[in-house]
Amino acid sequence: VTSARPERLAGPSREVPAALLDALRAACTTHVDDALLDAHSRDWWPLALAWAHRGMTARRPAAVAEPASTEEVRAVARLCHAHRVPLTVAGGRSGVLGAAIPARGGVVLSTRALRGVVGVDAESGLVEVLAGTMGPELEDAVAPHGLVVGHHPQSFSLSTVGGWIGARGAGQYSTRVGTIAALVAGLEVVLADGTLLRLGPEPASAAGPDLASLFVGAEGTLGIVTRAWLRARPLPAARAGAAWRLPSLAAGIGAMRAALRAGATPAVLRLYDERETRRAHGGDGTWCALLVHDEAAPELVDATLAVVARCARAEGAESADPRLVDAWFAHRDDVSGLHALTARGWVIDTLEVAAPWARLAAVADGVRTAIAAVPGARSATVHVSHSYVDGACAYFTFVGDPGDGDRGHGDPGIGDLGALEALHGAMWEAGQGAALRAGATLSHHHGIGLHRARWAPEALGASLGTLAAIKRTLDPHGILNPGKWIPGDDA
Ligand SMILES: Cc1cc2nc3c(=O)[nH]c(=O)nc-3n(C[C@H](O)[C@H](O)[C@H](O)COP(=O)(O)OP(=O)(O)OC[C@H]3O[C@@H](n4cnc5c(N)ncnc54)[C@H](O)[C@@H]3O)c2cc1C
């Protein structure tokens, strides 16, 4: 199969033999039309979007298989395993690091037809759901049982249960419900050779290591998640929020830390630096907004907001207009501004890491300073969200102007692409490097994918070798999502 659109990714691409294509067609719905192959050559990785704007693809698959059952997934895996052809699973393709792009070509397994809530155990609060189910479909099916799962990434309506698990994501309520890792009670997984694993569900277990967790964050490299059992809790009886003005980012971090250390876990607790506060919350650039919102049993909500208020005041906070919380809810999933900047040929991207409280302020300062020092950088800002008893996520947003003469016309040409790629690379190099040097993790919830693969050896150290050994055992021909960050996995 050849694409009329030039491919931008380097490295080998595997053809799919005609015999495999015929066998795939017999096994399940299989697409080879250009538009669908092009769509499956990209996710929301800003470089892939920039290439798509210029009529290019990252790397096209030769076919998109769309199994509608676990048995059909097993058949697809067995066939690709037998032919030693790459098989990359794609959910909503809302990942922002190229994780779902078939870097070595071959076959994409779309989970689009593998959707729906299979069952709800309302007494235990356990939801059995197929991997291709998207956020709204999941919660709409669970709500009539008086339950909510509560995993709400900004990409809620773009992403799937399998993608949440594959990328080990975190939703906006994670400070109360945990990241997706805490919500997974069990998994059904198909291995590269078609072997079927059922892991759990169980509330807890001491019967050996937790094998299900091996597939959480594996980005489709170790197995294909076909079904999950997710934990759900009763729909909240009370909701309340408050907003605070903090004199500095460090003071805000101090307040968040104290609240978490005191046992408060508000559903939403978000701190914005001065610049993001001015941009999004009407600040004048001299203070930082801290938004808190909780939803749970009324006593818990009252107690949580009281603890946060005490901790904020102890750091010099003053009360701010509580409508800031309502405004955040009204706009929290709006990404239209992002598209506008991408279409103008600007660099806009985000970088999220986790760090212990003791290092969080240094990480926030170090990363912003490093990115802002890159020639062409227009802004580098941070907010702190997703808090834990021992630390939190620092989420950076950065914008750069490659300085070409083309921007502003909504139709950037190929001429500016080198400058855009170079600036994007330099800003990442500065930011991710500074984060790792300051003691942060490689990622908090976006994962590694294609884009962060180059930092995996530095960030993961010897554990990367252990993961590679596990990969060789589970996927001896290296067919699952090859060309990414686990070494030696190329089919
Ligand atoms: C506007 C926007 C906002 C976002 N906000 C958030 C946020 O708040 N929190 C957050 O965590 N992320 C966020 N993301 C990133 C992205 O939405 C998440 O990573 C999401 O979990 C990906 O789900 P998906 O279904 O789109 O997966 P894809 O992008 O299709 O795939 C992601 C990875 O998971 C693997 N995968 C997919 N399905 C399976 C499966 N069934 N079995 C095994 N592996 C699988 C893929 O191979 C790939 O490696 C955002 C993205 C966008 C574009």
Side-chain angles (χ1 to χ4, degrees):
V1 179
T2 52
S3 168
R5 292 168 169 246
E7 289 184 342
R8 195 67 181 168
L9 280 189
S13 177
R14 288 288 300 272
E15 293 291 314
V16 170
L20 173 56
L21 213 48
D22 289 342
L24 285 173
R25 284 202 185 98
C28 69
T29 303
T30 300
H31 307 272
V32 292
D33 57 291
D34 279 341
L36 211 76
L37 297 186
D38 282 344
H40 284 82
S41 79
R42 63 173 180 269
D43 60 3
W44 280 61
W45 180 27
L47 284 184
L49 294 178
W51 297 336
H53 273 295
R54 291 159 176 81
M56 286 177 268
T57 70
R59 168 59 46 80
R60 255 167 57 126
V64 176
E66 209 176 277
S69 68
T70 299
E71 280 313 309
E72 289 189 0
V73 172
R74 297 180 75 189
V76 171
R78 272 193 219 105
L79 286 168
C80 291
H81 179 76
H83 286 266
R84 302 192 179 200
V85 161
L87 178 61
T88 300
V89 55
R93 289 179 292 103
S94 70
V96 289
L97 293 157
I101 293 174
R104 297 290 179 252
V107 176
V108 163
L109 187 157
S110 163
T111 58
R112 200 166 56 161
L114 209 62
R115 61 202 296 170
V117 168
V118 178
V120 177
D121 169 355
E123 192 172 356
S124 309
L126 216 46
V127 183
E128 182 180 346
V129 59
L130 300 181
T133 311
M134 294 198 149
E137 198 179 342
L138 167 67
E139 296 292 13
D140 286 352
V142 168
H145 298 271
L147 296 172
V148 58
V149 174
H151 185 78
H152 192 115
Q154 193 189 26
S155 53
F156 184 62
S157 54
L158 305 169
S159 57
T160 64
V161 170
W164 301 345
I165 293 167
R168 208 165 158 188
Q172 291 160 347
Y173 306 121
S174 76
T175 301
R176 160 122 306 139
V177 305
T179 70
I180 194 67
L183 292 170
V184 169
L187 291 181
E188 180 185 81
V189 180
V190 172
L191 298 183
D193 66 357
T195 300
L196 186 66
L197 296 183
R198 181 172 159 158
L199 306 162
E202 49 205 10
S205 170
D210 176 12
L211 262 192
S213 69
L214 192 59
F215 299 94
V216 182
E219 300 188 353
T221 62
L222 300 180
I224 300 160
V225 175
T226 44
R227 177 187 311 255
W229 286 265
L230 299 180
R231 301 189 167 105
R233 56 195 70 216
L235 283 165
R239 288 188 169 82
W244 297 94
R245 298 164 66 116
L246 272 300
S248 68
L249 191 72
I253 290 174
M256 293 173 90
R257 170 185 167 275
L260 267 289
R261 304 282 300 164
T265 54
V268 178
L269 187 64
R270 301 172 72 91
L271 171 70
Y272 300 83
D273 72 3
E274 290 85 347
R275 205 162 164 174
E276 285 200 20
T277 298
R278 191 173 55 200
R279 190 163 66 212
H281 306 294
D284 60 5
T286 64
W287 54 278
C288 297
L290 176 68
L291 306 188
V292 55
H293 164 87
D294 203 16
E295 39 187 71
E299 308 88 317
L300 209 51
V301 171
D302 288 347
T304 300
L305 291 187
V307 170
V308 173
R310 170 170 61 75
C311 297
R313 284 203 186 93
E315 293 286 346
E318 289 170 15
S319 184
D321 188 341
R323 284 175 301 183
L324 290 183
V325 179
D326 304 329
W328 176 78
F329 268 104
H331 299 292
R332 62 179 172 153
D333 293 345
D334 178 10
V335 291
S336 50
L338 196 152
H339 277 309
L341 284 170
T342 304
R344 288 175 67 185
W346 284 48
V347 169
I348 170 145
D349 208 344
T350 59
L351 186 163
E352 31 55 67
V353 296
W357 292 118
R359 292 202 280 271
L360 198 62
V363 168
D365 287 343
V367 172
R368 282 181 303 176
T369 305
I371 297 178
V374 175
R378 285 282 185 264
S379 78
T381 59
V382 68
H383 64 257
V384 181
S385 47
H386 313 287
S387 293
Y388 310 89
V389 74
D390 54 340
C393 164
Y395 188 107
F396 301 91
T397 303
F398 54 88
V399 176
D401 176 2
D404 60 89
D406 205 3
R407 67 178 188 281
H409 305 295
D411 183 24
I414 190 160
D416 67 329
L417 186 58
L420 182 140
E421 288 172 342
L423 179 57
H424 183 257
M427 294 177 93
W428 263 92
E429 198 63 42
Q432 189 73 68
L436 291 175
R437 281 194 303 280
T441 59
L442 179 55
S443 168
H444 174 265
H445 58 268
H446 286 164
I448 300 175
L450 263 175
H451 189 72
R452 276 179 160 146
R454 82 157 226 53
W455 290 280
E458 179 184 348
L460 303 183
S463 69
L464 199 51
T466 307
L467 274 175
I470 292 170
K471 165 87 174 164
R472 281 193 296 276
T473 302
L474 297 184
D475 177 16
H477 301 330
I479 64 161
L480 290 181
N481 204 355
K484 303 283 166 52
W485 48 278
I486 296 192
D489 70 345
D490 270 344

